[in-house]
Amino acid sequence: MTRLLLVGATGLVGGHVLDQALADPRFSVVVAPTRRALAPRPGLVNPVVDFDNLPQDADWWAVDAVICTLGTTARKAGSPQAFYRVDHDHPLEVAYLARRHGARAYALNSALGADAASRVFYLRTKGEIERDLQAVGYGSLTLVRPGLIGGARVESRPLERLAVVASGWFQPLLPRRWRVVPAERIAHHLLQAVQDGMPGVRVLPSEALI
């Protein structure tokens, strides 16, 4: 049975990861650090943390695997620097701390088109976190790259919502990599990745998630 650390549990994909992991007998404990307390649930350990000042030696870092679904938008973050902290710096620090305490597998919810050399800031940030995670030393690292994500978000992302709706109209005509990927499918693949623990670095493109 696996002790899982989940960061990003309050987001769309992270919420599905949390639900699926707590219902899965293969996971003994789900540690989900958040900024605000979650409702208590059996099997959930929920440290309330400041991601800008994470505790270095908390005992809850001792897990077998990590799933990271942290992510924001430039608008919500307020600045490119704040966006970079959430989508790059926090996932990387979590990776180092969990690895130092024994975690062996890490799965990241990244993005279609992630590329450290991209001229697009969002895609470059995703590419840089993918690149930098490979230096942490995980025996198993899975990079999941969905395109448009389907599901009901708590926060408002009107442009993304419009793109999802438009894609839904043309779904049968679109190549698989451009189709909307339901958030619960992404969660399933993230959980399966850390359970399988395949050695090395593995990339799951959007078309493989549907």
Side-chain angles (χ1 to χ4, degrees):
M1 297 177 72
T2 300
R3 286 180 56 90
L4 174 68
L5 175 68
L6 168 63
V7 285
T10 59
L12 174 58
V13 174
H16 283 286
V17 173
L18 182 62
D19 290 342
Q20 291 180 26
L22 290 175
D24 191 331
R26 296 177 299 175
F27 296 94
S28 57
V29 173
V30 179
V31 181
T34 55
R35 293 186 184 275
R36 293 177 295 278
L38 302 174
R41 297 170 67 176
L44 173 63
V45 175
N46 178 218
V48 176
V49 301
D50 175 2
F51 280 93
D52 291 318
N53 188 28
L54 287 168
Q56 301 293 296
D57 294 307
D59 57 5
W60 47 261
W61 286 115
V63 296
D64 302 298
V66 182
I67 290 176
C68 179
T69 64
L70 279 177
T72 187
T73 63
R75 179 181 179 182
K76 183 179 179 182
S79 70
Q81 294 79 10
F83 171 84
Y84 196 84
R85 280 201 308 274
V86 174
D87 278 58
H88 177 276
D89 296 349
H90 295 340
L92 189 60
E93 184 177 11
V94 165
Y96 274 113
L97 289 170
R99 181 73 190 94
R100 194 174 79 193
H101 287 79
R104 301 182 298 275
Y106 190 108
L108 172 73
N109 187 43
S110 183
L112 177 67
D115 182 352
S118 176
R119 294 182 180 181
V120 179
F121 177 66
Y122 175 82
L123 297 178
R124 186 167 67 250
T125 300
K126 294 297 188 181
E128 288 180 2
I129 181 58
E130 288 189 359
R131 177 199 64 199
D132 295 344
L133 284 172
Q134 296 180 50
V136 179
Y138 280 89
S140 175
L141 174 62
T142 302
L143 308 171
V144 177
R145 294 178 178 171
L148 291 171
I149 300 174
R153 292 188 184 274
V154 175
E155 64 183 283
S156 175
R157 295 190 183 182
L159 291 178
E160 182 182 84
R161 179 61 185 160
L162 179 60
V164 168
V165 171
S167 296
W169 294 339
F170 300 103
Q171 188 91 328
L173 304 176
L174 293 173
R176 287 179 64 86
R177 76 185 317 240
W178 299 111
R179 295 180 186 178
V180 176
V181 184
E184 57 265 31
R185 291 294 300 160
I186 301 169
H188 166 80
H189 285 287
L190 289 165
L191 287 165
Q192 195 60 50
V194 296
Q195 269 295 317
D196 292 345
M198 291 182 62
V201 180
R202 179 171 56 149
V203 176
L204 291 180
S206 194
E207 59 266 31
L209 306 175
I210 298 173

